[in-house]
Each structure stands twice: as structure tokens, then as C-alpha cells.
Amino acid sequence: ILTIVNDISLLFEVKTFMTGQYDTEFDEMGYTMSKLEIDSELCDGSMKSGNEASGSRKQKGKCNYLDGDEFAQLTKIRTEPNERLCKIGPGKRDLPVSMVKLLAGRECNFTGRGKFSSADCCHVLSRYLPVSGPYRIDKMDSRAYVSQFSSDGSLFVAGFQGSHIRIYDVENGWKVHKDIHARSLRWTITDTSLSPDQQYLVYASMSPIVHIVNIRSGGKQSRANVTDIHEGLDFSANDDGEEEDSFGIFSVKFSTDGRELVAGSSDDSIYIYDLERKKLSLKIEAHTSDVNTVCFADESGHLIYSGSDDNLCKVWDRRCFKAEGKAAGILVGHLEGITFLDSRGDGRYFISNGKDQTIKLWDIRKMSSNVNCHGKFKNYEWDYRWMEYPALARKSRHPYDQSLSTYKGHSVLRTLIRCYFSPVHSTGQKYIYTASNDSSVYIYDVVSGSQVVKLQNHTTTVRDCNWHPYYPMLVSSSWDGVIARSEFPGNAVNPTPLPQKRSRLLPVY
């Protein structure tokens, strides 16, 4: 234990553990705590009696209403160590648990496991956030729209408006693994998706043709029909082989088994494409406006989530799909269109980013088929592409809001801003994070709702960002053409910081 404590990061842990003082401001170590951890004595009653804690909550409003909810309990199971390590006395708990205490408990086999559990690891790693930097990965002359790590984190995909898609080898100094020149591009690269085996990449634009590229073949440069074949997958042909009216695709995703693609389009529909048969297998007339985002709910591929400019999130169950356009359920709560969805991967919870400047957390068990979703709940008109969101509207709330929680602070303007759950392996999905029009990336505590980090790495709109699945590293893509990363504790080998702004941790009080 003493040998490991010599590490500088653990010295910081020992200092804070011994003094009991946790700084909520960003320091050089990048250590941070969520508001829920800071106020843990109010939530679990470890420092005060139940009445005192309840009174404090009412007076200060520090505990999010999700505390005590099933979702909060599931998050705690993923991110809190064994109960024996949390206790400091009968009926008393102390969070967070220091690394020294965790190491002592492991060496003494205090929990009976003899090793760290995944929750123990997440309890430590989730406190070390990717806040050092920013470091520039690449700079192009056109807007960057897409950021995506591969499932194992070895590759990173960035899509640009100027016909380029670059795939970087993360483990080889971020060298360009593949430079793809997009074929038949309309307006911009709207979305990309890597196959589960990381053999193929599909990319979409404002066209009914989705292109697929073998990223493991040929050299670094990939030009359509020159160095690589870009096969076009036509989503517009109906059952009779006739062409549908032209439309664009906003969102495309591989299924977990890599056999299908699901796509959301500008003709209000969801498309499912069978890659083995090379044929469109299903078209769902899903919404009454653009379908901006779709995703599979879990590994089974049976459930699909969709979000649209009609302000609705819908759940589709392919096992009992009968009538065309009949969703398994509808979830209402956003006052404006949905820009992006991300599933927690359990077939139950997901988050959505909305043009009403909020992220919402959903439980599909609360969905309904007969909810009042067509009423007029706003008395203003605006266009998110060029107008600022009305100040009066920021205080509005949908009268039939079915969401579990709402997160505010970021800006959803100009483009389809994306949001995600933080990685399950390193953080236990304890956070959600989002790009923002105000040139920043925001990280929220998913249970308390508090804003934990604001990364200011760019000079203009950040459309997408992605957290490495295993390491404390977050990469963002912006309309300034820059692909930038933040990480912990920082990379001394390639220190190429961006000069304009520095990432910082905001106070969470």
C-alpha cells in the first residue's frame, strides 16, 4: 500500500481523505466530485438524523428527486464499493471511499472477494474526469460533425462537412489509419457507424444512399472506386423496386450482430436495411416530422428508439409490430424537436437531447399509447437554426412530462447536438455528457442533475463528442474544424494544447 501511495495521484487522495476536504474546483490533478457525493450526508443520513437531512433537502434543495428512485439505486450499485468499506460505524456511511481504504480492504479480504469489483473500480475512476488539455488531434478547413470511438477504443472516427472522414489509430499516436473521401455527398456527413467487428464503416448524408467502406483494406487514402469500393446501399427502393421521393438520412446505426442497419430520415420514417440480403427489409412511417435520431435499445435488436422534430420519443418493438406506424409506446416531455438519443443499453432507460435546451432521462415503462401529444403547449415561434431560444420558454414545462429527470445548462442550437451516457466500464454510467452550441462540452451527474464539468476546448459550435470506453479521455468535434481531446492526467508525449481556451471545472454549488 505504501508503495502505491507514493504515486502522486494517490497522494492527493490521501490528503483529501485525511483532511475530509474535497475541492469542487478543477485543479491540476483533474480530480472532481459530483454534487451528489459532496452532499452524500444529506442523502444517506450518515452525518445527520433523518429529520435533519429531510429538512436540509427542503431548505437547500440539494438532493435531486432521482435520489431513492430505482434508476439512482441501479447507478449506485454500479459505482459504490462494498457496504463494509463505506461504513465508518453502525448505521453510518462515508462516501467517497478513499483509495487507501479500498486497497487495505482488498489486501485484508475485508469484503470476501479478494479483489476489486467493477463497482470498486468505477468508484475510483469516475472521480478522475478527462479535464486536462485540450490537445489538438487534427484541424481541417471544414466543419467537423461526427465523433465516434470504436467499441474497444482503438479507433476514432471523425466526419467533416468537406467530404472527409478520417479514422485515427488511437493506440498509435493518433495517426491517420484511413482517410476516406466521401462519395455523392450532400451538404455534410450527417452520421457514421462502425460495424461491431470494426471491419466496415457506413456513412450517411442528406441522401437516401448510405455508403459502406471496408476500412481494413487498401492503404491510408481511400477514394471511391479508385483505391476502395464504396458500395451504395439504397434506402429509397420500395417493395416493387420503384424509387421513392428523395430524402436525407440524419442517423444510421449498426445492429449489435452487424447484420442490419437502422436509419432515421427526413421523410418522417425509420428504415431497417438487411446487409446480408442487401435489401431494405422494413420502412416505418414513424413520425409526423423529420426523424433526427434512432438507436437500438439493447443487444437483442428487438427494441428501437426514435426521436423526431414532432417533439416525441417513440419505442418500437419489432416482435409485435403489426400495423404500419404503430409504436409500442410514446414518451412526451420535450417542448421542441429531439436532436439525439442514447440508450443505456439495458432496454429500459435512454436519454434525449432536445431543441428546448434540455436533456431528458426516460424509463420506457412509463410510455403510453394514448397520451395527449398534439396539444399546443407554447405561445412563441422560433427557428433553432438561426434564432436564440426565447428566454420565456426556458421556464416552460410540458404539462404531461413523462421523463424521470431533466438536465439544463448546455445549448442546443444551429445543428443536431448529441449527448451520451458516460462509459459503463470506467464510470458505471454515472454521468451524461453533451456537446453544445456555446463551444463547450458539459458533463452532468446523472442522479443529482448537477453540472460537474464544462470543457471549453473550441471557438464555435461543438456538434459531437465521445468518451473513450475505458480511459478518462473525451474527444470533441467542432465547427471550427478542430478535433480536440481532453484527458486525465494529460499526455506529456504529445503536448499540443489549443491556445484559445482552457478546460475548467465549474463549481457545483
Side-chain angles (χ1 to χ4, degrees), residues 163-419:
S163 301
H164 274 275
I165 302 172
R166 285 191 169 176
I167 302 177
Y168 303 89
D169 188 339
V170 177
E171 298 177 351
N172 191 24
W174 292 89
K175 293 182 179 179
V176 176
H177 168 76
K178 201 82 167 177
D179 191 354
I180 301 170
H181 293 257
R183 179 185 178 190
S184 305
L185 184 70
R186 293 186 184 176
W187 177 244
T188 185
I189 303 294
T190 54
D191 201 7
T192 64
S193 183
L194 279 168
S195 62
D197 61 2
Q198 299 174 31
Q199 183 77 21
Y200 298 96
L201 175 83
V202 294
Y203 64 89
S205 67
M206 294 306 295
S207 163
I209 308 297
V210 171
H211 290 89
I212 184 167
V213 186
N214 186 344
I215 64 173
R216 297 296 184 181
S217 66
K220 182 173 72 173
Q221 292 292 326
S222 178
R223 294 183 178 274
N225 299 326
V226 177
T227 59
D228 281 312
I229 296 176
H230 291 200
E231 186 175 357
L233 310 176
D234 191 354
F235 281 63
S236 66
N238 59 27
D239 294 335
D240 299 325
E242 296 180 357
E243 297 291 322
E244 301 272 350
D245 292 336
S246 182
F247 56 87
I249 292 179
F250 292 111
S251 177
V252 62
K253 297 289 184 295
F254 268 101
S255 61
T256 306
D257 59 12
R259 296 179 179 179
E260 292 181 316
L261 296 174
V262 62
S265 72
S266 62
D267 67 347
D268 315 340
S269 300
I270 297 173
Y271 292 88
I272 298 176
Y273 192 92
D274 189 322
L275 289 169
E276 292 184 336
R277 297 167 57 200
K278 294 185 178 181
K279 182 180 179 182
L280 189 68
S281 59
L282 182 63
K283 175 186 176 182
I284 307 171
E285 295 180 359
H287 291 267
T288 59
S289 191
D290 294 350
V291 181
N292 295 325
T293 175
V294 289
C295 67
F296 288 102
D298 54 22
E299 294 183 352
S300 71
H302 297 311
L303 291 179
I304 296 173
Y305 302 146
S306 65
S308 167
D309 273 338
D310 63 11
N311 309 350
L312 302 179
C313 297
K314 291 188 177 183
V315 181
W316 308 87
D317 191 339
R318 299 171 62 191
R319 293 166 296 186
C320 57
F321 191 80
K322 297 179 180 179
E324 186 175 357
K326 182 66 174 178
I330 301 172
L331 291 158
V332 301
H334 280 291
L335 293 171
E336 300 289 346
I338 317 298
T339 64
F340 198 74
L341 301 175
D342 187 45
S343 173
R344 195 166 180 260
D346 54 11
R348 181 176 297 174
Y349 298 102
F350 70 94
I351 55 173
S352 61
N353 224 349
K355 297 175 185 178
D356 56 2
Q357 316 303 300
T358 67
I359 294 174
K360 288 186 177 291
L361 172 67
W362 307 92
D363 182 344
I364 69 170
R365 293 172 297 179
K366 293 181 177 291
M367 66 187 181
S368 175
S369 59
N370 58 357
V371 70
N372 183 1
C373 31
H374 298 297
K376 187 173 179 62
F377 306 122
K378 59 182 183 179
N379 57 1
Y380 58 88
E381 296 294 336
W382 78 295
D383 190 324
Y384 93 114
R385 293 172 295 180
W386 58 277
M387 298 173 65
E388 294 298 320
Y389 194 61
L392 182 64
R394 293 183 181 275
K395 298 181 180 180
S396 301
R397 182 176 179 180
H398 198 294
Y400 306 107
D401 190 353
Q402 296 171 297
S403 64
L404 296 181
S405 186
T406 301
Y407 310 85
K408 298 181 179 180
H410 61 291
S411 175
V412 184
L413 298 169
R414 311 294 181 263
T415 185
L416 302 178
I417 302 290
R418 299 185 166 191
C419 65

Side-chain angles (χ1 to χ4, degrees), residues 8 12 25-31 131-132 487-490 502:
I8 187 169
F12 180 76
E25 293 286 345
F26 166 61
D27 64 9
E28 293 180 357
M29 293 306 302
Y31 174 87
V131 293
S132 295
E487 56 189 348
F488 175 87
R502 180 184 178 186

